[in-house]
Amino acid sequence: MAQVEIDLYTPSLAEVDGELRPVLIPERRWYDTLLGGEGDDPIERWNAKVHQDLNSPTTSTDCWTWTACLSEDGYGEFSLGGQKARAHHVLWALEHGSPPALVYGSRGWERVHLGHLCHDRDETCEGGPACLHRRCVNPEHLALLSHTANVRAGNAGTHQRRKTECPSGHAYTSYGFSYTDPQGTTRRYCTACQNGLRAAKFVGSRKVLEAAA
């Protein structure tokens, strides 16, 4: 459960995971600029960076593909009010308001994602930064999802299971082993990294991990 400084957010209600739930919305300069109409026309500039042709080669035929700058994790970026915004947030925000950052549920406060339904429908997409659906900015393809629901819907487990190397490039077949924690979650660890090549990222030894299981 996230520890939240309530004073930093505006409380509201929004449809998250298909039901109306309490949310917290942070201040965003880009959203204030979008509504304020100062300077150039942001929507005209935004539209110039979008491929809306039904024969778009990059995603589903009804996706609107962002053609400009991308973040490291593969989402479109749009500069507005001296702040970078996720490109798929902009048009969605005009209709629904600034996206909430946190939602309250049975697990307490957790993060909110503006998820891509086009990705969730595509069982062949592995997800991750290379996922082309992350470039889609069609507001009809978006929905607010809690972090729990977003992970469950986004094929993240499939993407992770298909990895053959650890982040340092060691092959899991040679250096890896699986560890199931007391909560039943199975994780993969790399013994080469555990032995010092990436010690800052991995704490503890194989013996300690196996004993914890």
Side-chain angles (χ1 to χ4, degrees):
M1 184 176 81
Q3 297 295 320
V4 178
E5 293 289 343
I6 301 295
D7 293 342
L8 301 178
Y9 301 87
T10 300
S12 185
L13 293 172
E15 187 173 302
V16 181
D17 299 344
E19 61 182 48
L20 200 63
R21 298 168 63 181
V23 296
L24 296 177
I25 303 173
E27 292 185 5
R28 293 186 172 100
R29 291 196 309 276
W30 69 260
Y31 181 68
D32 294 339
T33 302
L34 182 66
L35 296 186
E38 300 177 2
D40 60 353
D41 184 345
I43 295 304
E44 182 177 340
R45 185 162 53 89
W46 184 92
N47 277 327
K49 303 176 187 294
V50 178
H51 188 309
Q52 297 186 31
D53 193 298
L54 291 180
N55 294 316
S56 172
T58 55
T59 47
S60 305
T61 55
D62 55 345
C63 285
W64 298 357
T65 305
W66 186 253
T67 62
C69 295
L70 300 176
S71 64
E72 289 185 0
D73 50 0
Y75 293 97
E77 288 188 332
F78 184 66
S79 181
L80 192 57
Q83 188 177 39
K84 286 184 179 180
R86 289 278 169 99
H88 64 292
H89 286 199
V90 175
L91 206 59
W92 189 92
L94 277 180
E95 181 175 347
H96 302 283
S98 184
L102 298 161
V103 60
Y104 193 80
S106 59
R107 298 177 175 225
W109 291 105
E110 63 177 315
R111 284 185 297 156
V112 176
H113 301 268
L114 189 55
H116 284 84
L117 302 179
C118 48
H119 167 74
D120 300 344
R121 293 191 295 262
D122 186 352
E123 296 182 357
T124 66
C125 184
E126 297 182 10
C131 170
L132 295 176
H133 297 96
R134 292 189 177 190
R135 304 182 193 182
C136 178
V137 293
N138 185 345
E140 297 297 321
H141 288 196
L142 305 174
L144 293 174
L145 301 173
S146 65
H147 179 69
T148 300
N150 189 61
V151 170
R152 186 181 302 121
N155 302 326
T158 300
H159 171 64
Q160 295 297 332
R161 285 191 294 271
R162 289 179 178 174
K163 289 183 177 180
T164 59
E165 297 179 344
C166 79
S168 295
H170 303 124
Y172 279 124
T173 53
S174 301
Y175 299 100
F177 67 93
S178 295
Y179 156 66
T180 302
D181 65 23
Q183 285 72 45
T185 300
T186 300
R187 311 175 190 277
R188 286 187 295 182
Y189 290 85
C190 174
T191 53
C193 290
Q194 289 267 136
N195 290 333
L197 294 181
R198 239 173 140 239
K201 291 282 186 180
F202 296 89
V203 180
S205 66
R206 178 173 181 174
K207 181 182 292 186
V208 171
L209 290 170
E210 288 181 338

